[in-house]
mmCIF file of all heavy atoms in Angstrom:
data_model
loop_
_atom_site.group_PDB
_atom_site.id
_atom_site.type_symbol
_atom_site.label_atom_id
_atom_site.label_comp_id
_atom_site.label_asym_id
_atom_site.label_seq_id
_atom_site.Cartn_x
_atom_site.Cartn_y
_atom_site.Cartn_z
ATOM 1 N N LEU A 44 200.090 -35.662 17.333
ATOM 2 C CA LEU A 44 200.696 -34.339 17.238
ATOM 3 C C LEU A 44 201.902 -34.322 16.294
ATOM 4 O O LEU A 44 202.018 -33.425 15.444
ATOM 5 C CB LEU A 44 201.161 -33.869 18.658
ATOM 6 C CG LEU A 44 200.050 -33.409 19.601
ATOM 7 C CD1 LEU A 44 200.648 -33.168 20.975
ATOM 8 C CD2 LEU A 44 199.417 -32.114 19.123
ATOM 9 N N GLY A 114 191.036 -5.598 14.888
ATOM 10 C CA GLY A 114 192.336 -5.099 14.434
ATOM 11 C C GLY A 114 193.015 -4.103 15.328
ATOM 12 O O GLY A 114 194.032 -3.487 14.948
ATOM 13 N N ARG A 131 210.305 12.343 16.653
ATOM 14 C CA ARG A 131 209.387 13.227 17.403
ATOM 15 C C ARG A 131 208.788 12.564 18.621
ATOM 16 O O ARG A 131 208.268 13.245 19.501
ATOM 17 C CB ARG A 131 208.301 13.717 16.460
ATOM 18 C CG ARG A 131 207.286 14.647 17.132
ATOM 19 C CD ARG A 131 206.358 15.274 16.111
ATOM 20 N NE ARG A 131 205.321 16.086 16.738
ATOM 21 C CZ ARG A 131 204.466 16.849 16.072
ATOM 22 N NH1 ARG A 131 204.497 16.908 14.748
ATOM 23 N NH2 ARG A 131 203.544 17.563 16.681
ATOM 24 N N VAL A 134 208.044 6.495 22.761
ATOM 25 C CA VAL A 134 206.879 5.668 22.862
ATOM 26 C C VAL A 134 207.086 4.514 23.828
ATOM 27 O O VAL A 134 208.150 3.889 23.866
ATOM 28 C CB VAL A 134 206.528 5.049 21.474
ATOM 29 C CG1 VAL A 134 205.234 4.271 21.503
ATOM 30 C CG2 VAL A 134 206.410 6.188 20.421
ATOM 31 N N GLU A 150 206.471 4.058 36.611
ATOM 32 C CA GLU A 150 207.745 3.446 36.283
ATOM 33 C C GLU A 150 207.880 3.218 34.766
ATOM 34 O O GLU A 150 208.926 3.434 34.161
ATOM 35 C CB GLU A 150 207.856 2.104 37.014
ATOM 36 C CG GLU A 150 209.132 1.317 36.675
ATOM 37 C CD GLU A 150 209.204 -0.003 37.398
ATOM 38 O OE1 GLU A 150 208.445 -0.210 38.346
ATOM 39 O OE2 GLU A 150 210.052 -0.835 36.988
ATOM 40 N N MET A 189 210.232 14.361 34.092
ATOM 41 C CA MET A 189 210.675 13.651 32.884
ATOM 42 C C MET A 189 209.952 14.201 31.650
ATOM 43 O O MET A 189 210.588 14.504 30.617
ATOM 44 C CB MET A 189 210.398 12.154 33.003
ATOM 45 C CG MET A 189 210.745 11.334 31.747
ATOM 46 S SD MET A 189 212.493 11.333 31.378
ATOM 47 C CE MET A 189 213.114 10.228 32.644
#
Side-chain angles (χ1 to χ4, degrees):
L44 283 173
R131 180 171 176 174
V134 185
E150 178 182 345
M189 177 65 75

